[in-house]
Amino acid sequence: MTNKDIHYLIKQTNAAPLVVFRLFFGLMMLMSIVRFWLNGWIETLYLEPNFHFSYYGFSWVKPLGNYTYLLFIVCALSAFFVAIGYKYRIAIITFFLSFTYIELMDKTTYLNHYYFISILSFLMIFLPANAQFSVDAFIKKKQYQNIPKWTIDSIKLLLGIVYFYAGLAKLNSDWLLRAMPLKIWLPSKYDIPFIGNNLMQQDWFHYTMSYGGLLYDLMIPFLLLFKKTRTYAFVLVVFFHVFTRILFPIGMFPFIMIISTLIFFEDNFHQKIIKFIKKHLLKDNSSDFDHQKSESKISLKSIKNYTFSKSKKQLIYPILGLFLLLQILFPFRNLLYPGELFWTEEGYRFSWRVMLMEKAGYSNFKIVDAKTKAFFYVNNDDFLTLYQEKQMSFQPDFILEYAHYLGDHFKNQGHENVQVFVDSYVALNGRMSTVFIDPKVNLYQKRESFKHKDWIVPFSSKIKIKGI
Amino acid sequence: MFKKSAILLVLVTIIYACSSSEEIESGVSDNFDRGAMLTHLVDNIIVPSFQDFSSKMTDLKSAGETFTSSPNQINLDALRASWYIAYKEYQHVEMFNIGKAEELQYKFYMNIYPLSVTDVETNISNGSYDLDNVNYQDAQGFPVLDYLLYGVAATDEDILKKYTTDTNATGYKKYITDVLNQMEGLTTEVLNDWTTSYRTEFVNSTDNTATSALNKFLNDYIEFYEKNLRANKFGIPAGVFSSTTLPEKVEAFYRKDISKDLALEALDAFENLFLGNYKGSSIANKSSFQQYLQALDRQDLVSSITNQLAVSKTQIEKLNANFFEQVNTDNTQMTMAYDELQKLVVFLKLDMASALNISIIFVDSDGD
């Protein structure tokens, strides 16, 4: 390590941005969990299906029956404890584990922003986000004014990666030259007031949105970094996310991103937020806890700098160094696979590729007796929810896992010499559908692995996709 | 800061909205009028089809009355002829499972097969039954007439005996009457709703939401093709979903020699709606899914769909008029017809739904 590196690592900055981030992050997570529950998604996504799609290597992570509710309660409570900064370290570890467990239960529900929350909460385990303005500080009767600067920078870096990589992924011919998939999605929003029946239908608007989205993603991390452009950047952030929220069913994600980007602001802005909350929310509130807190604020011992102990540094630096390096490299793993990424989706997930594809599939499974050649087709409704069927139909790893499930099912039913074939078609970004999986391959014999799946029929459309 | 941002945001939005509204006048690329499409469908296809069917249904009911008041060979033949005409006409309305039809579960009271003969015979011998009960959906409609007019005994002579000298002849006659009343009553109710209140609601419900008439109509249309046509008429009897063939599950199992006619009729109905035609005849300024796809610059998909319909029809025409016979003698031809029909499912559920961005499966969850 050079002196400069060490100098950077010991640099201190005001803790306010991180503690405000902690508060908002915790609250947003609490809201997300409550919203998820109220929407009945615990039942429809985790309890009703008979079968769950697992991530490779995580087939042991399954919904826990009625205890799944308990899991969500644990997750919500830990989010709340993170927000108020009570037993912060245990709370954020619990949150990370419970949230990640929920996401691993069924990959049907995979969303990039769920993954973002998982890695962000992992990072936060190592950050002193309870340094001040937290119950922990109140109980220990001491708070820190400053924390190492890198702790805040690491969150900025993670946010920057999300945006910038999402921008890089848009540098492809479908997005730039065909305005796909916005050309399909935007006109279908014809029922939006004012702009639905005119603006949304315009060719030039689809291109404007495509290029606008691209520039936004690539530039916003930098615009947020510089003080001069920061306010405008934030306005852009709000506008962009609110606009996409109107257009697409993306739940809490826009709000999470809007709130998260506040971390780019200077510490006096966050101090104002803290002051505002203390003055208006905590004082007005007459509950015992808050009352005590504001009363005894005076007796809190203020320490200038928070520093990690030597042993902690030895643990945290390599872990986070490796973690951040992985975050930078992992999204490029698709380069290790042959074939068209949008088609095979090998290396598609966990790499900030959002809103890039209008992709749909139709997969019809055929159970064959290898000896007699007798066969029948499977009715997917018998085994999968509509949502699972939709997601399964165009993703090879889902198709394979389901083929094995079907094979096992019919074998257990007493069928002999079971082979599983699939008639599978996929349509991508406005192209005509074509055969997706080799219909002559017995999927029951193929195993999941990180290797290339050679039973995917190569992407054959004349309209190629060129890009990163 | 927040106040400033908020004001700025509002300003940007307003400027954006205003500057864009001036653009509207100039070049509109997709001016496909969904309301006009629904209006065309309802005024020129749906309501006329229901009116046609309703009048055939009235004929059928009066043929039924004539038969039950004097059961003889002439009246039996007349009733059978009327039944066949109405059954064919019915194929043109089954796909409109929306509005009142959906609420009443119309198609489930009209044409669920295979029939539950046990339920029918038990009902008749008990003399009391509630045809509105969902458990008896497979003991009424066209299939029960199929049974009572062709399958209740081996010969015409014996069939007539059921309505004349049988100890429960009254019961058999009453069942025919009750089933016909039920069918006619439901049909009238559905048609009246279209011509009075539902039409307006239908043509105005063009939103792209799970509950809008436009989306539900498309869903019903595809479901009709996939389930009622492809699976029920072909796939299930051909044993596509089971380890053995199930020939007794063909439509009009007792009459036997009309299963192909009915299937082709349904396929025609399906194709006509796609093209915006009424029973094969084109209408000026027609507007349907074909035109909708063309407006979205997807003539390629329109060609694929119409070609595949033609290929399917050619293969079906090769089949025996009696699908029961076809499955038993040469099921390969039957599964070949199914395979051609199946190819169209991909175009409909996948390509068309994707092009219109109307979700066939309405999933209530977030995307990203």
Side-chain angles (χ1 to χ4, degrees):
Chain A
M1 233 182 248
T2 65
N3 280 339
K4 209 177 158 192
D5 292 335
I6 293 167
H7 181 71
Y8 170 72
L9 288 173
I10 58 168
K11 215 172 174 182
Q12 293 272 327
T13 186
N14 192 287
L18 185 64
V19 293
V20 169
F21 184 83
R22 182 210 76 222
L23 171 68
F24 286 157
F25 177 80
L27 290 178
M28 299 289 280
M29 291 306 110
L30 178 61
M31 279 164 62
S32 299
I33 301 283
V34 170
R35 171 176 174 268
F36 200 92
W37 188 314
L38 293 180
N39 279 338
W41 291 342
I42 299 178
E43 290 84 17
T44 54
L45 298 176
Y46 296 118
L47 300 183
E48 281 166 15
N50 298 318
F51 166 68
H52 294 281
F53 289 99
S54 299
Y55 291 97
Y56 184 45
F58 289 93
S59 52
W60 50 276
V61 182
K62 292 281 177 220
L64 310 167
N66 278 332
Y67 290 106
T68 313
Y69 291 107
L70 194 65
L71 183 62
F72 276 82
I73 290 171
V74 167
C75 193
L77 279 180
S78 58
F80 178 68
F81 285 149
V82 168
I84 62 171
Y86 178 58
K87 303 242 183 234
Y88 171 74
R89 192 85 50 194
I90 298 171
I92 188 72
I93 290 173
T94 312
F95 177 81
F96 164 71
L97 290 176
S98 56
F99 188 88
T100 306
Y101 189 96
I102 291 170
E103 292 323 310
L104 290 174
M105 291 194 300
D106 192 331
K107 68 183 171 189
T108 312
T109 56
Y110 170 80
L111 292 180
N112 282 286
H113 75 263
Y114 290 154
Y115 171 58
F116 177 63
I117 289 164
S118 271
I119 58 171
L120 181 59
S121 58
F122 176 79
L123 173 63
M124 285 172 71
I125 291 174
F126 303 94
L127 309 183
N130 58 343
Q132 51 165 270
F133 193 47
S134 68
V135 179
D136 284 346
F138 164 74
I139 289 173
K140 288 180 186 153
K141 297 209 184 313
K142 61 178 179 185
Q143 62 178 2
Y144 300 91
Q145 266 179 6
N146 298 319
I147 50 170
K149 185 172 179 294
W150 66 261
T151 58
I152 293 179
D153 287 348
S154 61
I155 293 181
K156 290 182 188 171
L157 177 64
L158 218 52
L159 276 163
I161 289 175
V162 173
Y163 278 119
F164 190 69
Y165 279 37
L168 287 182
K170 292 183 172 71
L171 290 170
N172 69 71
S173 54
D174 266 17
W175 187 270
L176 298 172
L177 304 179
R178 302 175 65 228
M180 281 290 179
L182 293 183
K183 206 184 212 18
I184 296 175
W185 290 341
L186 296 181
S188 76
K189 308 293 167 190
Y190 55 82
D191 50 355
I192 289 179
F194 306 118
I195 54 174
N197 249 327
N198 36 71
L199 204 55
M200 289 291 160
Q201 310 300 329
Q202 308 296 321
D203 218 29
W204 64 263
F205 185 69
H206 307 151
Y207 282 95
T208 308
M209 290 299 285
S210 290
Y211 281 84
L214 167 73
L215 290 177
Y216 170 83
D217 280 343
L218 286 178
M219 287 165 56
I220 205 74
F222 305 104
L223 296 178
L224 282 166
L225 272 179
F226 299 113
K227 201 179 171 193
K228 266 189 179 174
T229 49
R230 193 171 296 140
T231 311
Y232 304 103
F234 186 69
V235 173
L236 264 178
V237 167
V238 173
F239 177 76
F240 178 83
H241 286 296
V242 168
F243 193 58
T244 51
R245 180 67 180 78
I246 294 168
L247 288 178
F248 306 111
I250 41 181
M252 294 287 290
F253 175 63
F255 307 115
I256 293 170
M257 288 311 267
I258 291 171
I259 296 298
S260 296
T261 47
L262 287 177
I263 199 165
F264 283 90
F265 283 90
E266 312 265 298
D267 46 70
N268 54 11
F269 169 75
H270 291 93
Q271 280 161 350
K272 270 183 210 157
I273 294 180
I274 295 176
K275 217 179 263 171
F276 180 88
I277 294 172
K278 279 186 177 163
K279 194 176 158 194
H280 293 282
L281 299 177
L282 297 185
K283 242 185 199 168
D284 292 347
N285 204 322
S286 56
S287 81
D288 283 356
F289 158 73
D290 290 327
H291 200 60
Q292 277 178 3
K293 184 171 176 173
S294 51
E295 288 253 294
S296 51
K297 190 174 56 185
I298 316 115
S299 65
L300 241 60
K301 191 176 144 201
S302 204
I303 302 167
K304 192 153 188 271
N305 289 339
Y306 179 97
T307 47
F308 290 100
S309 69
K310 202 172 177 192
S311 60
K312 270 190 181 167
K313 278 180 188 168
Q314 278 172 345
L315 184 75
I316 292 176
Y317 287 173
I319 291 180
L320 288 190
L322 211 69
F323 168 76
L324 292 172
L325 186 70
L326 191 72
Q327 290 309 318
I328 291 169
L329 295 179
F330 196 53
F332 290 111
R333 72 190 185 287
N334 63 295
L335 296 173
L336 302 172
Y337 291 100
E340 172 50 53
L341 171 66
F342 285 9
W343 186 251
T344 65
E345 295 198 36
E346 291 173 319
Y348 190 85
R349 269 171 289 203
F350 313 116
S351 53
W352 317 118
R353 296 169 207 277
V354 284
M355 309 232 98
L356 293 174
M357 303 193 295
E358 164 58 34
K359 195 179 182 191
Y362 181 87
S363 291
N364 204 7
F365 288 81
K366 189 172 162 184
I367 310 295
V368 180
D369 182 328
K371 280 216 179 104
T372 65
K373 299 289 169 208
F375 69 89
F376 60 92
Y377 281 98
V378 172
N379 185 1
N380 290 331
D381 295 356
D382 295 344
F383 302 96
L384 303 178
T385 64
L386 291 174
Y387 186 37
Q388 287 179 316
E389 184 181 357
K390 180 183 169 205
Q391 296 293 82
M392 175 277 292
S393 295
F394 62 87
Q395 301 187 73
D397 55 333
F398 284 66
I399 290 176
L400 181 65
E401 196 181 347
Y402 181 49
H404 276 269
Y405 173 73
L406 289 175
D408 292 343
H409 172 84
F410 287 108
K411 205 168 154 186
N412 290 337
Q413 268 200 354
H415 291 264
E416 283 174 5
N417 315 309
V418 172
Q419 293 182 312
V420 184
F421 298 90
V422 68
D423 289 329
S424 180
Y425 296 84
V426 164
L428 174 61
N429 282 348
R431 296 172 178 82
M432 277 299 296
S433 61
T434 49
V435 179
F436 186 49
I437 303 292
D438 187 342
K440 293 195 177 70
V441 168
N442 175 13
L443 293 175
Y444 201 32
Q445 278 193 333
K446 296 287 169 186
R447 297 270 153 227
E448 182 59 85
S449 75
F450 289 126
K451 285 190 199 133
H452 170 58
K453 296 177 169 59
D454 55 9
W455 36 267
I456 302 171
V457 177
F459 182 63
S460 62
S461 169
K462 276 180 211 144
I463 314 165
K464 296 278 170 233
I465 305 169
K466 295 244 160 59
I468 293 176
Chain B
M1 167 61 59
F2 271 118
K3 266 185 194 162
K4 257 193 206 166
S5 310
I7 293 165
L8 243 166
L9 176 69
V10 171
L11 275 177
V12 169
T13 319
I14 292 170
I15 293 164
Y16 209 64
C18 291
S19 63
S20 61
S21 62
E22 275 162 34
E23 292 289 341
I24 305 163
E25 319 303 333
S26 49
V28 179
S29 70
D30 163 31
N31 48 11
F32 189 75
D33 188 341
R34 291 157 195 88
M37 174 174 117
L38 292 183
T39 308
H40 169 73
L41 294 179
V42 68
D43 290 347
N44 300 324
I45 301 177
I46 300 175
V47 167
S49 299
F50 265 112
Q51 280 165 342
D52 288 352
F53 174 61
S54 178
S55 93
K56 300 292 190 284
M57 196 59 233
T58 311
D59 296 347
L60 174 60
K61 195 184 154 202
S62 69
E65 281 159 6
T66 313
F67 174 72
T68 47
S69 59
S70 44
N72 56 41
Q73 186 67 44
I74 296 169
N75 289 343
L76 177 63
D77 289 344
L79 177 56
R80 282 169 166 176
S82 192
W83 169 81
Y84 175 46
I85 292 168
Y87 208 170
K88 284 214 312 199
E89 205 64 51
Y90 170 75
Q91 304 296 333
H92 291 266
V93 300
E94 192 169 78
M95 62 186 148
F96 306 132
N97 182 34
I98 194 167
K100 203 54 153 187
E102 186 190 15
E103 184 194 321
L104 296 173
Q105 297 194 306
Y106 179 64
K107 70 175 179 180
F108 297 96
Y109 286 97
M110 295 296 283
N111 194 24
I112 290 284
Y113 57 91
L115 177 79
S116 169
V117 174
T118 327
D119 279 355
V120 173
E121 290 292 359
T122 315
N123 281 349
I124 291 173
S125 65
N126 286 348
S128 70
Y129 38 80
D130 177 14
L131 290 180
D132 293 337
N133 189 329
V134 287
N135 293 326
Y136 293 139
Q137 285 179 340
D138 60 354
Q140 56 188 304
F142 285 104
V144 82
L145 294 168
D146 179 34
Y147 170 70
L148 290 176
L149 304 185
Y150 294 97
V152 74
T155 63
D156 280 8
E157 201 181 329
D158 289 344
I159 289 171
L160 280 171
K161 276 184 191 157
K162 287 276 178 191
Y163 305 97
T164 48
T165 55
D166 190 274
T167 46
N168 197 12
T170 333
Y172 278 98
K173 287 189 283 191
K174 181 171 179 291
Y175 207 70
I176 289 189
T177 309
D178 288 344
V179 164
L180 285 173
N181 283 341
Q182 167 87 332
M183 290 166 79
E184 211 238 354
L186 291 173
T187 306
T188 311
E189 210 175 327
V190 172
L191 175 58
N192 283 349
D193 195 54
W194 275 111
T195 50
T196 53
S197 57
Y198 189 59
R199 181 195 177 277
T200 320
E201 192 189 325
F202 182 77
V203 299
N204 288 317
S205 181
T206 55
D207 293 357
N208 194 356
T209 59
T211 50
S212 78
L214 175 64
N215 287 15
K216 282 175 75 177
F217 186 79
L218 178 72
N219 270 289
D220 293 337
Y221 178 63
I222 294 176
E223 190 191 283
F224 164 77
Y225 181 83
E226 199 187 6
K227 297 236 159 76
N228 299 88
L229 181 52
R230 177 201 68 135
N232 292 358
K233 293 186 204 306
F234 294 87
I236 291 172
V240 167
F241 307 104
S242 51
S243 1
T244 55
T245 60
L246 303 165
E248 69 283 359
K249 292 199 174 182
V250 298
E251 194 172 23
F253 170 66
Y254 299 99
R255 163 79 191 248
K256 288 191 167 49
D257 61 346
I258 60 166
S259 35
K260 180 166 118 179
D261 273 0
L262 296 177
L264 282 171
E265 201 73 32
L267 192 63
D268 275 346
F270 178 84
E271 185 175 23
N272 277 321
L273 191 113
F274 179 76
L275 303 171
N277 292 349
Y278 170 64
K279 301 218 173 131
S281 53
S282 191
I283 301 156
N285 301 320
K286 65 185 182 178
S287 173
S288 188
F289 293 122
Q290 174 188 228
Q291 291 73 24
Y292 196 169
L293 286 172
Q294 283 164 342
L296 293 170
D297 209 14
R298 289 305 302 270
Q299 179 57 42
D300 60 337
L301 182 53
V302 170
S303 308
S304 299
I305 290 175
T306 45
N307 289 343
Q308 192 53 41
L309 277 168
V311 173
S312 305
K313 213 182 287 180
T314 313
Q315 178 58 33
I316 295 170
E317 267 154 7
K318 287 184 195 160
L319 301 176
N320 194 314
N322 177 349
F323 283 176
F324 178 77
E325 221 26 62
Q326 184 69 55
V327 171
N328 279 330
T329 54
D330 184 6
N331 193 45
T332 319
Q333 290 293 323
M334 191 73 175
T335 53
M336 277 167 73
Y338 173 85
D339 290 344
E340 294 305 337
L341 290 165
Q342 171 65 27
K343 287 178 193 163
L344 196 62
V345 174
V346 177
F347 294 141
L348 297 173
K349 277 188 102 164
L350 192 52
D351 296 284
M352 183 158 110
S354 177
L356 303 182
N357 202 20
I358 289 179
S359 139
I360 290 300
I361 302 160
F362 287 104
V363 179
D364 172 35
S365 77
D366 292 339
D368 73 0

